[in-house]
Amino acid sequence: MRSRLNLFCLAALSASIANAKITDKRPDIILFMVDDMGWQDTSLPFASDTTAYNRMFRTPNMERLAASGMKFTQAYACAISSPTRCSLITGANNARHRVTNWTLQRDKSTDDSMLGVILPEWNWNGVAQSGEVNNTYIGRSFVDLLRQSGYHTIHVGKAHFGAINTPGENPAHWGFETNIAGHAGGGLATYLSENNYGHRPDGSAYSLLAIPGLEKYWGSGVFATEALTQEALKEIDRAVAYEQPYFLYMSHYAVHIPIDKDMRFYNDYIDRGYSPKEAAYASLVEGMDKSLGDILDKVEQSGRADRTIIIFMSDNGGLASQPEWRDGELYTQNYPLRSGKGSLLEGGIREPMIVCWPGVTTPGSECNDYTMIEDFYPTILEMADVDFVPDADKPIDGFSFVPMLRGEPMPDPEREIVWNFPNIWGNEGPGINLNTALRRGQYKLIYNYVTGEKELYDIPADISETTNLATQLPEVTAFMSKRLGQRLRDMDAQRPVDAATGEPFPWPDEID
Amino acid sequence: MRSRLNLFCLAALSASIANAKITDKRPDIILFMVDDMGWQDTSLPFASDTTAYNRMFRTPNMERLAASGMKFTQAYACAISSPTRCSLITGANNARHRVTNWTLQRDKSTDDSMLGVILPEWNWNGVAQSGEVNNTYIGRSFVDLLRQSGYHTIHVGKAHFGAINTPGENPAHWGFETNIAGHAGGGLATYLSENNYGHRPDGSAYSLLAIPGLEKYWGSGVFATEALTQEALKEIDRAVAYEQPYFLYMSHYAVHIPIDKDMRFYNDYIDRGYSPKEAAYASLVEGMDKSLGDILDKVEQSGRADRTIIIFMSDNGGLASQPEWRDGELYTQNYPLRSGKGSLLEGGIREPMIVCWPGVTTPGSECNDYTMIEDFYPTILEMADVDFVPDADKPIDGFSFVPMLRGEPMPDPEREIVWNFPNIWGNEGPGINLNTALRRGQYKLIYNYVTGEKELYDIPADISETTNLATQLPEVTAFMSKRLGQRLRDMDAQRPVDAATGEPFPWPDEID
């Protein structure tokens, strides 16, 4: 028989929580996460100049939030949702947790195939905190740590941490005490209540991406973005009543495809001359922004605005590779960034991020240092005054950006960020599929495992990544290759195998 | 600023869980809890002889469970639901947690009033794990410890741990990762899907006791007992898929009032000559028993029956004080036990309890030692191989009955069980209102705070509590009074105040 689990420590922890009881005035924290929103899908300029896209979208509440907080112009996430969400919840880099493509069904890879390439057996079942399911990375959730420390924890919207019928699919397994509409699905069948968000009239789902838990809005005419918002507002009221600090993960399904028309806003864009596709997308974005505004209003009405931290983020770049959903030339929808979702070019990984922490962030300030999605883990725990030591087998790759919120420089100017995407996502385009990348200082190296091609960009000088410096700066390329190869090996990253030889394709520092 | 919470220990704990990963074959545990079910509301005899009530009810699955496990003939709970549920989840005795009457609305006592008596400010907001809500006992849930140790934890049905808009109302706050239909309510508006379990056609609740979360069964003709069962069966499938051990708290709203007719069974009882009220009650009981059978079948089909522990329990005695719901003479419906729900006589506190632990309990065995509801806490943790040390400010009053499951005698033959009910529940009857009691060995003392009356019974010799030995055995009465007074003071119990003097009524050992 296995030895007993020892919960002495838990008892000690909970005693310290009890002692903290009377003075628990730690901040409420709201993480407002948008799905598939590009860096330019907003009227708030994140580039040095206002762009045509900024003029196309209407997001007054993002502007309002930025005016009272700090805007991050180089905030990174992964190129698609699952890697980002899994890094967020576990604090592990995507190369480490190996959820490198998107997850949905258990034991089913979502990779496309390519002749001559054998893809790795990545963690297609996602991440979990417990259980023994194969192809799963076991991590520990910062939300669970918040909860253990006395926070009330709320999940609203998209989860996408683990595949169907695995422990990770359920936000409750990650320490969320309330879950509205979160499950294994990383997208949604439809935003339309007329279609019961993906359910037949008899209540059965007609899609694996049917949104669960919104039955009361079926047939009501309420767009999914609004339904989730109304639920979130009720949860804030409830959280305030509980007399605990709370963490709300407001994780919108918007602005993921299908780009349904949010009819509260759509016709106005049509009237202003937008094409139907672009009007629909702009309406999705504005509906998301209204949600942000409603939540900001609610926080102000709750009387706790001065102790509420709001974090705005997106999970990957805007979709720029599917002409059926967007107009305009392919791969331009995140301009001045190049390419979009799925790409390791900036258009795929740079996100609109804003943080407002009353008393800490300077209103209207801007941070031009870079951050990565796994940084949210230690940052939020620091915000909540929760100290922790990671398990040896579950290291945290992120770094707290609290110093930057205080206006201090990035603690380590040589900080390295790794992306690993040894998969075939499906869509084609610049920087998409079978590659890995390193950001360090001003440079970013992108390496394609199969072609061996290397791209080196000076990001601050060339935000659009038009000039590949790889041959021009061979020493930098070699150094970046070495660092990337080292980091990938250190994290036991996966890479594709050459079917012709049966050998893995080289690491970036094994090839010139 | 308060000092940081230290989560070093949590990290250590979670490391040990990870190490245990490969061999986690701990048992699945199902606690099948029935509401307001009396000791005689079953065809399974718990008294020494088969009674007329045993012949009136049909519970073949309880018989089946008892045939494969151990039947407890002296299993105690509190006299009403909230004290029992709060003891179950926190392991604290009712005198300690002070949730001594039933809870529903925040900051609203449910006490009736009595001229000349000032009632204590008991914990009418229930219990919680965290938060700073007044009139709340802060405990730590055994379910949370199970969860932390790697169990998947499921709540189906009635919760009733805390008042509306307090942290304790939400089963997720107690470590349940799945919650179906559990909330602050300790009863239900109706079992009938035709009435949407208490919701209007527009979806709004017409009662605080409307059952939440069963929308998909609205208008379906499915009785609430069956709807909860179907949900529980699905959750078992899911839990098995998760490849974790699981804890299922199958907490039926049955057989609480309103005694709606379960039409799957009702007419058969009518045909057999039962009165409509008794036929309805028998149908409720049989529907509950069918649920047990369906769960037993599911466990067998899951292939994990040999590692699944099933515990059957009720939360208080059968209702015997409301002629609008039951026929027959008042206070006789638990015969040979006297009185019923709300009473500290045996009819109010003795429960039908069965435990089947394959490989541990002898099939068809019987335990005649006594247990109390707070014993479930350390027992279930021991079953799950979770060792723990309670916080100093949250002592566990229960004792594990695992030795008794192994067929060993009760470890402490002088074990003391305390009930404290310094409230006015409302209904009248023998042993109901404003009293406290002690069971120790063969004797039980009941003391009425306001009248000063003492009743002493030799329980094994006089199961119907017909002969008050208080004057006949003055030394026993004095000793029991002293022990009860001591225990009440040790647990900082509450008692009513005499309005005429402004002084509390005496403790039992302060009066002859």
Side-chain angles (χ1 to χ4, degrees):
Chain A
M1 193 173 207
R2 46 184 289 284
S3 70
R4 292 182 168 208
L5 296 175
N6 189 310
L7 296 185
F8 282 65
C9 293
L10 259 185
L13 165 70
S14 125
S16 67
I17 292 169
N19 294 339
K21 186 178 169 197
I22 295 165
T23 55
D24 197 348
K25 298 294 178 197
R26 293 179 294 163
D28 301 325
I29 302 172
I30 297 175
L31 173 53
F32 189 99
M33 178 71 88
V34 190
D35 201 24
D36 281 9
M37 180 185 178
W39 196 59
Q40 289 292 302
D41 300 344
T42 166
S43 54
L44 177 70
F46 280 87
S48 52
D49 298 309
T50 301
T51 65
Y53 284 118
N54 296 147
R55 286 183 287 270
M56 167 178 166
F57 293 101
R58 232 171 12 206
T59 60
N61 293 296
M62 287 181 67
E63 296 176 45
R64 170 184 169 193
L65 183 64
S68 63
M70 177 178 277
K71 183 170 73 173
F72 283 73
T73 62
Q74 292 200 72
Y76 287 118
C78 303
I80 60 172
S81 170
S82 289
T84 287
R85 308 278 172 161
C86 295
S87 287
L88 171 67
I89 201 73
T90 66
N93 181 267
N94 59 95
R96 186 186 304 280
H97 64 55
R98 297 180 163 193
V99 188
T100 48
N101 207 344
W102 60 282
T103 61
L104 181 58
Q105 295 187 77
R106 182 164 168 169
D107 293 334
K108 288 197 183 171
S109 173
T110 51
D111 277 320
D112 265 15
S113 61
M114 180 183 285
L115 213 61
V117 177
I118 300 169
L119 296 174
E121 294 200 358
W122 56 285
N123 280 334
W124 44 63
N125 288 326
V127 292
Q129 279 210 127
S130 50
E132 305 182 24
V133 175
N134 55 288
N135 293 78
T136 301
Y137 176 81
I138 301 293
R140 178 155 190 92
S141 159
F142 75 95
V143 181
D144 215 17
L145 296 172
L146 289 176
R147 174 180 177 277
Q148 287 293 330
S149 84
Y151 269 74
H152 175 53
T153 55
I154 310 161
H155 185 284
V156 179
K158 168 173 162 173
H160 206 203
F161 302 123
I164 293 169
N165 279 336
T166 70
E169 72 170 330
N170 183 346
H173 276 248
W174 294 104
F176 285 104
E177 292 166 317
T178 297
N179 171 34
I180 293 166
H183 65 144
L188 70 171
T190 171
Y191 293 88
L192 302 179
S193 70
E194 298 84 328
N195 297 335
N196 300 336
Y197 312 118
H199 297 84
R200 301 183 190 90
D202 70 3
S204 62
Y206 63 74
S207 161
L208 293 177
L209 300 182
I211 307 177
L214 297 181
E215 288 80 359
K216 78 178 85 156
Y217 297 94
W218 290 7
S220 66
V222 177
F223 205 70
T225 308
E226 178 67 21
L228 293 173
T229 305
Q230 290 184 17
E231 290 301 299
L233 298 180
K234 276 186 275 187
E235 289 303 323
I236 291 176
D237 281 338
R238 193 195 307 262
V240 169
Y242 283 172
E243 298 180 31
Q244 295 174 269
Y246 68 84
F247 173 68
L248 166 62
Y249 182 41
M250 173 70 252
S251 175
H252 273 292
Y253 282 100
V255 295
H256 197 285
I257 59 169
I259 301 176
D260 291 322
K261 301 165 185 144
D262 190 333
M263 293 308 297
R264 298 173 296 176
F265 310 106
Y266 176 76
N267 284 329
D268 183 61
Y269 289 103
I270 290 292
D271 292 347
R272 290 160 65 200
Y274 288 50
S275 72
K277 281 182 201 166
E278 296 299 279
Y281 191 64
S283 79
L284 259 192
V285 169
E286 187 166 355
M288 172 282 296
D289 184 79
K290 176 191 179 289
S291 169
L292 176 64
D294 291 347
I295 287 172
L296 295 177
D297 290 346
K298 168 63 77 178
V299 166
E300 285 171 12
Q301 290 154 16
S302 77
R304 312 214 300 200
D306 61 345
R307 49 175 278 206
T308 302
I309 300 172
I310 318 265
I311 308 172
F312 183 100
M313 185 62 176
S314 173
D315 69 341
N316 49 246
L319 186 66
S321 53
Q322 289 187 235
E324 63 270 37
W325 292 114
R326 292 291 301 275
D327 290 324
E329 192 182 344
L330 279 178
Y331 317 122
T332 67
Q333 284 85 352
N334 299 291
Y335 184 86
L337 307 183
R338 191 167 151 223
S339 201
K341 179 177 181 179
S343 173
L344 297 187
L345 290 161
E346 296 286 299
I349 55 178
R350 196 188 286 212
E351 314 305 330
M353 173 175 158
I354 311 165
V355 180
C356 177
W357 185 354
V360 175
T361 50
T362 301
S365 59
E366 189 170 309
C367 175
N368 298 306
D369 288 325
Y370 50 84
T371 61
M372 180 58 169
I373 188 66
E374 54 257 32
D375 297 348
F376 282 53
Y377 189 113
T379 302
I380 292 174
L381 288 175
E382 185 173 350
M383 289 168 162
D385 204 19
V386 176
D387 210 353
F388 73 102
V389 173
D391 304 336
D393 62 340
K394 303 183 189 81
I396 304 303
D397 294 303
F399 295 91
S400 170
F401 52 78
V402 166
M404 288 133 83
L405 295 173
R406 294 204 186 98
E408 300 162 16
M410 182 161 71
D412 175 8
E414 307 287 82
R415 190 259 167 107
E416 294 175 339
I417 296 175
V418 173
W419 292 262
N420 193 42
F421 201 175
N423 304 78
I424 305 176
W425 178 48
N427 291 14
E428 310 259 313
I432 297 177
N433 294 334
L434 290 160
N435 50 8
T436 178
L438 178 76
R439 173 80 195 257
R440 179 188 163 110
Q442 76 204 85
Y443 292 111
K444 189 171 84 182
L445 177 80
I446 305 176
Y447 166 70
N448 186 297
Y449 283 111
V450 174
T451 66
E453 186 194 7
K454 292 180 181 175
E455 297 167 77
L456 180 73
Y457 298 107
D458 180 341
I459 299 297
D462 180 20
I463 193 175
S464 299
E465 295 168 293
T466 55
T467 308
N468 180 0
L469 305 170
T471 51
Q472 193 177 324
L473 299 174
E475 287 176 12
V476 175
T477 303
F479 178 74
M480 293 287 285
S481 298
K482 188 177 160 197
R483 289 303 310 153
L484 178 54
Q486 189 62 50
R487 294 299 306 276
L488 291 169
R489 288 188 293 271
D490 284 351
M491 291 192 279
D492 201 13
Q494 296 178 299
R495 51 183 166 154
V497 166
D498 186 340
T501 65
E503 294 295 318
F505 287 103
W507 293 120
D509 50 354
E510 295 173 339
I511 186 173
D512 282 337
Chain B
M1 194 174 206
R2 47 184 289 284
S3 70
R4 291 182 168 206
L5 296 175
N6 189 309
L7 297 185
F8 281 66
C9 292
L10 259 185
L13 165 70
S14 126
S16 67
I17 292 171
N19 293 341
K21 186 178 169 200
I22 296 166
T23 55
D24 197 350
K25 298 294 179 196
R26 291 179 294 162
D28 301 326
I29 303 172
I30 298 176
L31 174 52
F32 190 99
M33 178 73 88
V34 190
D35 201 23
D36 282 8
M37 180 186 178
W39 196 59
Q40 289 291 302
D41 299 345
T42 166
S43 53
L44 178 70
F46 280 88
S48 52
D49 298 309
T50 301
T51 65
Y53 282 119
N54 296 147
R55 286 185 286 271
M56 167 178 167
F57 293 101
R58 231 170 15 206
T59 60
N61 294 295
M62 287 181 68
E63 295 176 46
R64 170 184 170 193
L65 183 63
S68 64
M70 178 178 275
K71 183 170 73 173
F72 283 73
T73 61
Q74 292 201 73
Y76 287 118
C78 303
I80 60 172
S81 170
S82 288
T84 287
R85 310 277 173 161
C86 295
S87 287
L88 171 68
I89 201 72
T90 66
N93 180 266
N94 58 94
R96 187 186 303 282
H97 64 55
R98 297 180 165 194
V99 187
T100 47
N101 206 343
W102 60 282
T103 60
L104 181 59
Q105 295 186 77
R106 184 165 168 168
D107 293 334
K108 287 197 184 171
S109 173
T110 50
D111 278 318
D112 265 16
S113 60
M114 180 184 285
L115 213 62
V117 177
I118 300 169
L119 295 173
E121 294 200 358
W122 54 285
N123 280 334
W124 45 61
N125 289 326
V127 292
Q129 278 210 128
S130 50
E132 306 182 22
V133 174
N134 56 288
N135 293 79
T136 302
Y137 176 81
I138 301 293
R140 179 154 188 90
S141 159
F142 74 94
V143 181
D144 215 17
L145 296 172
L146 288 176
R147 174 179 177 278
Q148 287 293 331
S149 84
Y151 269 74
H152 174 53
T153 55
I154 311 161
H155 185 286
V156 179
K158 169 173 162 172
H160 205 204
F161 302 123
I164 293 169
N165 279 336
T166 70
E169 72 169 330
N170 183 346
H173 277 247
W174 294 103
F176 285 104
E177 291 166 318
T178 297
N179 171 34
I180 293 166
H183 66 144
L188 71 171
T190 170
Y191 292 88
L192 303 178
S193 70
E194 298 85 324
N195 297 335
N196 301 336
Y197 312 117
H199 298 83
R200 301 183 189 90
D202 69 3
S204 62
Y206 63 74
S207 160
L208 292 177
L209 299 182
I211 308 177
L214 296 181
E215 288 80 359
K216 78 177 86 154
Y217 297 94
W218 290 7
S220 65
V222 177
F223 204 70
T225 308
E226 178 67 22
L228 294 173
T229 305
Q230 290 184 18
E231 290 301 299
L233 297 180
K234 277 188 274 186
E235 289 303 322
I236 291 175
D237 281 338
R238 193 195 307 261
V240 169
Y242 284 171
E243 299 182 30
Q244 296 174 269
Y246 67 83
F247 173 69
L248 166 62
Y249 183 41
M250 173 70 253
S251 174
H252 273 292
Y253 283 101
V255 296
H256 197 285
I257 60 169
I259 301 176
D260 290 322
K261 300 164 185 144
D262 190 332
M263 294 309 295
R264 297 173 296 175
F265 310 105
Y266 176 75
N267 283 330
D268 184 61
Y269 289 103
I270 291 291
D271 292 346
R272 289 161 66 200
Y274 289 50
S275 73
K277 280 181 202 168
E278 295 301 277
Y281 190 64
S283 79
L284 258 191
V285 169
E286 187 166 355
M288 172 282 295
D289 183 78
K290 175 189 179 291
S291 169
L292 175 63
D294 291 347
I295 287 172
L296 294 178
D297 291 345
K298 169 62 78 176
V299 166
E300 284 171 14
Q301 290 154 16
S302 77
R304 310 213 302 197
D306 61 346
R307 48 176 280 208
T308 303
I309 300 171
I310 318 264
I311 308 172
F312 183 100
M313 186 63 176
S314 173
D315 70 340
N316 50 244
L319 186 66
S321 53
Q322 289 187 237
E324 63 271 37
W325 293 114
R326 290 292 301 277
D327 289 325
E329 192 183 344
L330 280 178
Y331 317 123
T332 68
Q333 284 85 352
N334 300 291
Y335 184 85
L337 307 184
R338 192 167 150 222
S339 201
K341 180 177 181 180
S343 173
L344 297 189
L345 291 160
E346 295 286 299
I349 56 179
R350 196 187 285 212
E351 313 304 332
M353 173 174 159
I354 311 165
V355 180
C356 177
W357 185 356
V360 176
T361 49
T362 301
S365 59
E366 189 171 312
C367 175
N368 298 306
D369 288 325
Y370 50 84
T371 62
M372 180 58 170
I373 188 66
E374 54 258 32
D375 297 347
F376 282 52
Y377 188 113
T379 301
I380 292 173
L381 289 174
E382 186 174 349
M383 288 169 164
D385 205 18
V386 176
D387 210 355
F388 73 102
V389 172
D391 305 336
D393 61 341
K394 302 183 189 79
I396 304 304
D397 293 304
F399 294 92
S400 169
F401 52 78
V402 166
M404 288 133 84
L405 295 174
R406 295 204 186 97
E408 299 163 16
M410 184 161 71
D412 176 7
E414 307 287 80
R415 191 259 168 104
E416 293 175 339
I417 296 175
V418 173
W419 291 264
N420 193 42
F421 201 175
N423 304 79
I424 305 177
W425 178 47
N427 291 14
E428 310 259 313
I432 298 177
N433 295 332
L434 290 159
N435 50 9
T436 177
L438 178 76
R439 172 80 194 258
R440 179 187 161 111
Q442 75 203 86
Y443 293 111
K444 189 171 84 181
L445 177 81
I446 305 175
Y447 166 71
N448 186 297
Y449 283 112
V450 174
T451 65
E453 186 193 9
K454 291 180 181 176
E455 297 167 77
L456 180 73
Y457 298 107
D458 180 341
I459 299 297
D462 180 20
I463 193 175
S464 298
E465 295 169 294
T466 56
T467 308
N468 180 359
L469 304 170
T471 50
Q472 194 176 325
L473 298 174
E475 287 176 12
V476 175
T477 303
F479 177 74
M480 293 287 285
S481 297
K482 188 176 161 198
R483 290 302 310 153
L484 177 54
Q486 189 61 48
R487 295 298 305 276
L488 291 168
R489 287 187 294 270
D490 284 351
M491 292 192 279
D492 202 12
Q494 296 179 299
R495 51 183 167 155
V497 165
D498 186 339
T501 65
E503 294 297 319
F505 287 104
W507 293 119
D509 51 354
E510 294 174 340
I511 186 172
D512 284 334

